[in-house]
Amino acid sequence: MAEKTTEELEQLRDLIDGVDQQLLHLLRKRLDLVAQVGAVKHGAGLPIYAPEREAAMLAKRRAEAEAIGIQPQLIEDVLRRLMRESYLNEKDVGFKQVREDLGKVVIVGGEGQLGKLFGQMLNLSGYQVVSLDKDDWQQADALLDGAGMVIVSVPIAVTCEVIREKLSSLPEHCILADLTSIKSAPLTAMMEAHKGPVVGLHPMFGPDVGSLAKQVVVVCHGRGQQHYQWLLEQITIWGARVVEAEAPQHDKAMQFVQAMRHFCTFVYGFNLCNEGVDMESLLQFSSPIYRLELAMVGRLFAQNPELYADIIFAQKDSFGVISHYLENFTKALTLIEQQDRAGFIAEFERVSQWFGELAPQFRNESRAMLQSVNDLKSH
Amino acid sequence: MAEKTTEELEQLRDLIDGVDQQLLHLLRKRLDLVAQVGAVKHGAGLPIYAPEREAAMLAKRRAEAEAIGIQPQLIEDVLRRLMRESYLNEKDVGFKQVREDLGKVVIVGGEGQLGKLFGQMLNLSGYQVVSLDKDDWQQADALLDGAGMVIVSVPIAVTCEVIREKLSSLPEHCILADLTSIKSAPLTAMMEAHKGPVVGLHPMFGPDVGSLAKQVVVVCHGRGQQHYQWLLEQITIWGARVVEAEAPQHDKAMQFVQAMRHFCTFVYGFNLCNEGVDMESLLQFSSPIYRLELAMVGRLFAQNPELYADIIFAQKDSFGVISHYLENFTKALTLIEQQDRAGFIAEFERVSQWFGELAPQFRNESRAMLQSVNDLKSH
C-alpha cells in the first residue's frame, strides 16, 4: 500500500474513533433517559411497551433522518436495537404490582426453565413466590398454605396427573393456572380438580427470551375471570400481548405451530445425520439464508430431547397432521419423479394464490431479517 | 394518568428527542467519514470489506462500551448496522477496475436479475458491459465483436444448449464464464465449446442483495486461470468472498443446499394450502421463531416458480436425495405412530452427537438472529 494511502486511512480512522466515542456516550445517555421513563411508568403502573407511542416516535425520526440524507430504515433499526436494550434493563427496576393482597404464589415445577422465568417476573413485581418441585411433595401442605395462586409448570406428559392427584383440595379463593403448551386437557383437569378461579396460559416463547416485551401469551379462560383479570394486566405490564383463544382452536393450531414443525425440523437433522452429509462443505457454500435455516435445525439439537418429545407426543391427533404432510410430500415428489415441470409450476402457482397478500409481505419481512443476519456474519 | 406522571414523561421524552437529534447528526458524520475511507480505498484498489480490521475495531469498541457500563453487544450491533449502510453506499462511489484492457463484457441473459446485477457491478468498476438477451441472437456477431469476456446467465435448463450452440466460435483470448447454480455440466459444455480461458461461477445469493459485502461466490476452475485471475480479484473488491470448489463436490452439496431445501419449503406451503390451514390463527399464535419460519416459506411463493423448477429439476440425482429424505421421514413417523417416546429420544440424542459442537454454536447464532427478528415486530 502506498504511504500516502496508509496515512490518509489512518487519519480518517482516528476521526471515526472520535465519532464512535461520542456515539457511545450518547447511547449511554439515551439508555439512562429511557430508564427514567421506565421508573416513572413503574410508579404509575403503565406497561413498558406502548406500541402506538413507539410507532409515532419512529415515524418522526424517520422523517428527520430523511431530511438530513439518512435512510429512514437505518435510524429505525438503530432505535429498535436500543429499545430492546431498554426493555432488558427494565428488569433491574422491577414492575408495578397489580394485586397487592394476593398472598403467596406457588409454582409447581418452579425449578423448570419456564417456571423459573415466571417466578422471576412475579418476584420483580413484588409477589412472594415459592417453588414446589418434584422432590417437595412431602412438604406440599406447608408450601401451599396461604397460597393465593398456584401455577402448574411441569412437563406436558404429567400435567393432568399432577393437577388431578395433587391439587384437588385447594381453597376455593385460590387461583389455579397452568403454563402448558396444550390447553384442552389441562384446562379440563383444572376445572374438575378445583372449584375456584381457573385459567390456562400458554407463553408463546422459550425461556431464553431476555424480556417479555412484544412476546405473546395465549389465555384460555376457565372460570371466574374477575378473580384473575389482574394477572392478565400484570402480564401486559411485563410487555407481553395477551391473546384470547378457545382451547380446542389453540390446540389445533399447535399441531402445526409446534408438533408438525418440530417434527419436520427433527427429520431435517435426522436426514442430514443419516445421509452422513459433510456439514463443513454445506456451510462453506452457505448463503446467509441457508446458514440461518441450518442454524434453526441445529439449535433444536442443542436442547432437551424430553421437551420436544413432550410437545410432539402431547396430542394424539398430531400423528394425523404429520401423516397428511407425508402424503403431500409424496404427491409432490411424484412430480419430480415424472419430471413434470409444468405440473410443479401449476401447483406452485396455486399455493401462491392461496398465500395471497401474505407471500409478498413475507418476502419483505424476511428480506429485513436476512439483512440483519448478514450483518452478524464476520467472515 | 396522573397529571404529574404525564408531565414527567413529557419532559423526559423531550430530552430523548434532543439526544436522538444528536444521534442522527453523529450517524451522518460517521457515514461521511466511512465514505471517505471508501474513496481512498477505491483509489488504491483495496477491497471494501476487510474482516480483520472490522474485527479489531469491534473488539476495541466493545471494551470501550464495557468501561462505561454499556453491553458490548449493543455497540457491536449498532456498528454492524452502520457498516451495512456504508457498504450499500459504496455503490455510489464505484469500484476500482482491476483489468483495464479487457475490452467489452457481454452478458448472455443480461436482462435476467442476476445478469443485471453482475452487469451493474462491472459497470460500476469501469467495464463496458453489453447485454445479449434471448431476442438479440440475430445481432449476436455484432454484440460479441471485440468481447474480452462472455458471461452466461440464462436459466439452467438452457445453459448448456446456449453454450454449445451459440458460443462455440469465440476468439481464443476471450474469457468464457457462467453464473449457473450447478457447475459440472455447464463447465464441461464451456470447455468443449471454447478453447480459451474458462471459469464457472456460482454466486451464493439472490439478486436482491443490496451489496456483495460478505457474500460468497463459488468458483470452479476450468482452464487458463492466469487469464481470469483479475476477475476473482474484482469480485473480492466488491466485498464478496471467493470460495474454490471442484464442480462435482459443489453440485453434490447443492442437492442439499438448494434442491432438497427448496423442495421441502415448497412442500411446507403445499401442505398448509392443501390442509386449508387458517393462516390468521397460525400467525396470531406465532412466536417470533415460527413467524420467521412461516416467512421463509411464504417468501418462496412470492417468487418466480420457473426459477425454483429450474433448481429442483436441474440435477437428476436430486430425486434420489429427496427420496432418502422421504424414507427418513417415514422412519421417524413410525416412532410417533408406535408412541415410542424412548426411541425418539434415543434418535434425537444420536443426531445431537452428530451435530457435535455445531449444535450449541447454532443455538447461540440463532438466538442473536431471533432477537433481531423480535426487534422488527411492531405489535
Side-chain angles (χ1 to χ4, degrees):
Chain A
M1 207 187 307
E3 203 174 306
K4 187 165 154 284
T5 304
T6 315
E7 206 176 291
E8 277 179 324
L9 286 178
E10 267 173 24
Q11 274 177 4
L12 287 167
R13 280 166 185 156
D14 283 346
L15 291 172
I16 293 173
D17 275 2
V19 168
D20 284 357
Q21 295 305 322
Q22 293 178 52
L23 181 61
L24 277 167
H25 284 96
L26 217 46
L27 296 185
R28 178 72 272 170
K29 205 164 158 187
R30 196 183 199 278
L31 290 172
D32 291 343
L33 286 168
V34 176
Q36 289 180 48
V37 170
V40 174
K41 283 187 168 183
H42 173 59
L46 297 169
I48 64 162
Y49 173 54
E52 299 77 20
R53 252 221 82 76
E54 195 177 290
M57 188 271 283
L58 287 173
K60 209 170 142 209
R61 292 298 175 271
R62 290 178 65 104
E64 291 162 354
E66 218 157 5
I68 61 164
I70 290 182
Q71 285 293 325
Q73 195 57 46
L74 173 64
I75 189 70
E76 175 163 345
D77 288 349
V78 169
L79 290 176
R80 282 192 186 281
R81 180 62 186 83
L82 275 166
M83 291 188 276
R84 184 213 301 176
E85 203 67 16
S86 292
Y87 292 137
L88 288 173
N89 292 340
E90 287 291 328
K91 276 197 177 172
D92 303 334
V93 189
F95 300 94
K96 186 193 154 93
Q97 183 173 16
V98 179
R99 181 158 168 199
E100 291 177 358
D101 60 343
L102 177 69
K104 201 158 65 172
V105 178
V106 177
I107 303 189
V108 179
E111 299 305 312
Q113 285 187 295
L114 195 59
K116 243 187 209 152
L117 177 66
F118 268 75
Q120 190 196 10
M121 296 305 289
L122 286 164
N123 236 319
L124 288 168
S125 314
Y127 298 92
Q128 187 202 343
V129 180
V130 299
S131 165
L132 198 171
D133 223 74
K134 52 181 177 300
D135 303 325
D136 305 326
W137 286 108
Q138 291 193 315
Q139 306 112 274
D141 286 346
L143 289 168
L144 287 167
D145 186 48
M149 176 163 73
V150 173
I151 301 180
V152 182
S153 181
V154 298
I156 304 181
V158 295
T159 299
C160 293
E161 190 186 319
V162 165
I163 293 168
R164 287 209 178 89
E165 295 182 8
K166 310 281 193 181
L167 303 170
S168 59
S169 50
L170 296 173
E172 207 171 314
H173 72 273
C174 181
I175 299 163
L176 181 57
D178 82 308
L179 303 177
T180 315
S181 67
I182 56 168
K183 294 271 62 76
S184 294
L187 205 56
T188 305
M190 290 193 293
M191 294 293 279
E192 286 170 10
H194 183 52
K195 289 201 169 60
V198 164
V199 59
L201 300 171
H202 181 195
M204 301 298 298
F205 46 85
D208 62 344
V209 290
S211 147
L212 264 60
K214 305 186 187 183
Q215 301 292 353
V216 169
V217 176
V218 173
V219 55
C220 296
H221 294 294
R223 168 197 306 134
Q225 187 179 348
Q226 71 275 23
H227 300 293
Y228 61 75
Q229 185 59 36
W230 65 269
L231 176 61
L232 309 184
E233 277 165 41
Q234 189 70 60
I235 291 171
T236 309
I237 284 178
W238 296 338
R241 192 159 54 95
V242 169
V243 174
E244 295 186 330
E246 296 297 322
Q249 177 209 6
H250 165 273
D251 289 356
K252 181 80 201 148
M254 284 314 119
Q255 292 178 353
F256 286 95
V257 174
Q258 298 198 319
M260 193 187 88
R261 179 167 66 94
H262 292 319
F263 184 77
C264 286
T265 308
F266 169 78
V267 173
Y268 205 111
F270 183 65
N271 181 61
L272 289 175
C273 165
N274 289 353
E275 294 288 288
V277 161
D278 175 11
M279 283 296 284
E280 220 160 286
S281 77
L282 281 203
L283 286 175
Q284 193 190 12
F285 295 134
S286 288
S287 57
I289 184 169
Y290 188 54
R291 189 176 177 98
L292 171 60
E293 286 183 13
L294 279 180
M296 295 295 236
V297 174
R299 75 178 256 119
L300 183 91
F301 293 97
Q303 292 172 71
N304 185 354
E306 304 273 348
L307 188 69
Y308 289 97
D310 272 351
I311 291 173
I312 291 170
F313 288 92
Q315 298 192 61
K316 288 245 163 57
D317 306 352
S318 299
F319 174 72
V321 169
I322 299 172
S323 299
H324 286 175
Y325 180 90
L326 185 63
E327 284 163 26
N328 282 315
F329 195 105
T330 310
K331 213 184 285 176
L333 189 60
T334 311
L335 297 171
I336 314 295
E337 191 176 13
Q338 299 173 344
Q339 290 285 307
D340 184 3
R341 199 173 182 280
F344 175 83
I345 288 173
E347 290 296 338
F348 191 108
E349 282 168 347
R350 189 172 62 85
V351 180
S352 295
Q353 290 273 326
W354 180 78
F355 268 103
E357 278 309 298
L358 271 176
Q361 190 185 318
F362 279 150
R363 187 189 48 207
N364 296 338
E365 237 177 73
S366 59
R367 191 181 290 150
M369 292 173 199
L370 292 174
Q371 281 169 342
S372 315
V373 170
N374 206 45
D375 290 348
L376 299 175
K377 267 181 90 169
S378 51
H379 53 85
Chain B
M1 207 187 307
E3 204 174 305
K4 185 165 156 283
T5 304
T6 316
E7 207 174 289
E8 277 180 326
L9 286 177
E10 267 172 23
Q11 276 176 3
L12 286 168
R13 280 166 185 156
D14 283 346
L15 290 172
I16 293 174
D17 275 2
V19 168
D20 284 358
Q21 295 305 320
Q22 293 178 53
L23 181 62
L24 278 167
H25 284 96
L26 217 46
L27 296 185
R28 177 73 271 169
K29 205 164 157 189
R30 196 183 199 279
L31 291 173
D32 290 343
L33 286 169
V34 177
Q36 289 179 48
V37 171
V40 173
K41 283 186 168 185
H42 173 61
L46 298 170
I48 63 161
Y49 173 54
E52 296 79 18
R53 250 219 85 75
E54 196 177 288
M57 189 270 284
L58 287 173
K60 209 171 144 209
R61 292 298 175 272
R62 289 178 66 104
E64 291 162 355
E66 219 156 4
I68 60 165
I70 290 182
Q71 285 293 325
Q73 196 57 46
L74 173 64
I75 189 67
E76 174 162 347
D77 288 350
V78 169
L79 289 176
R80 283 191 186 280
R81 180 60 185 85
L82 275 166
M83 290 188 274
R84 185 213 301 175
E85 204 68 15
S86 292
Y87 293 136
L88 288 173
N89 291 341
E90 287 291 327
K91 275 197 176 172
D92 304 335
V93 188
F95 300 94
K96 185 194 154 92
Q97 183 173 15
V98 180
R99 181 159 168 197
E100 291 178 357
D101 60 345
L102 176 71
K104 200 157 65 173
V105 178
V106 178
I107 302 189
V108 180
E111 299 305 313
Q113 285 186 293
L114 195 59
K116 242 187 208 152
L117 176 67
F118 268 75
Q120 189 197 10
M121 295 306 289
L122 287 163
N123 236 318
L124 286 168
S125 315
Y127 299 91
Q128 187 201 343
V129 180
V130 299
S131 164
L132 196 169
D133 224 74
K134 54 181 177 300
D135 304 324
D136 304 328
W137 286 108
Q138 291 193 317
Q139 305 112 273
D141 286 346
L143 288 169
L144 288 168
D145 187 47
M149 176 164 71
V150 173
I151 300 178
V152 182
S153 180
V154 299
I156 305 181
V158 295
T159 299
C160 292
E161 188 187 322
V162 165
I163 292 168
R164 288 210 177 85
E165 293 182 9
K166 310 282 193 180
L167 302 171
S168 59
S169 50
L170 296 173
E172 208 170 311
H173 72 275
C174 181
I175 299 162
L176 181 56
D178 83 309
L179 303 179
T180 315
S181 67
I182 54 168
K183 295 271 59 77
S184 293
L187 205 56
T188 305
M190 290 194 293
M191 293 294 278
E192 286 170 10
H194 183 53
K195 289 200 170 57
V198 164
V199 60
L201 301 171
H202 181 194
M204 300 298 298
F205 46 84
D208 62 346
V209 290
S211 147
L212 263 59
K214 307 186 186 183
Q215 300 291 353
V216 169
V217 176
V218 173
V219 55
C220 296
H221 294 294
R223 167 197 305 134
Q225 187 180 347
Q226 72 273 25
H227 299 293
Y228 61 76
Q229 186 57 37
W230 66 269
L231 175 62
L232 308 184
E233 279 166 39
Q234 188 70 60
I235 291 172
T236 309
I237 284 178
W238 295 338
R241 191 159 54 95
V242 169
V243 173
E244 295 186 331
E246 297 298 321
Q249 178 208 7
H250 165 274
D251 289 356
K252 182 78 200 150
M254 285 313 119
Q255 292 178 356
F256 286 94
V257 176
Q258 298 199 317
M260 193 188 87
R261 178 168 66 96
H262 292 318
F263 183 77
C264 286
T265 308
F266 168 78
V267 172
Y268 205 113
F270 183 64
N271 181 61
L272 289 175
C273 164
N274 289 355
E275 294 288 288
V277 161
D278 176 11
M279 283 296 283
E280 221 159 285
S281 77
L282 281 202
L283 285 175
Q284 194 191 9
F285 296 133
S286 288
S287 57
I289 184 169
Y290 189 53
R291 190 174 177 98
L292 171 60
E293 285 183 13
L294 279 180
M296 294 295 237
V297 174
R299 74 177 257 122
L300 183 92
F301 294 97
Q303 293 173 68
N304 186 354
E306 304 272 349
L307 188 68
Y308 289 98
D310 272 352
I311 291 173
I312 291 169
F313 288 92
Q315 298 191 62
K316 287 243 164 58
D317 306 349
S318 300
F319 174 72
V321 170
I322 300 171
S323 299
H324 286 175
Y325 179 91
L326 185 62
E327 285 162 26
N328 282 316
F329 195 103
T330 310
K331 213 183 287 175
L333 190 59
T334 311
L335 297 172
I336 315 295
E337 194 176 11
Q338 300 173 345
Q339 290 285 308
D340 184 3
R341 200 171 180 280
F344 175 83
I345 288 174
E347 290 296 338
F348 192 108
E349 282 168 347
R350 190 172 61 86
V351 180
S352 294
Q353 289 274 325
W354 180 78
F355 267 103
E357 277 309 296
L358 271 175
Q361 190 184 318
F362 279 149
R363 187 191 47 207
N364 295 338
E365 238 178 72
S366 60
R367 189 181 292 151
M369 291 173 196
L370 292 174
Q371 281 169 343
S372 315
V373 169
N374 206 44
D375 289 348
L376 299 174
K377 268 181 89 171
S378 50
H379 54 86

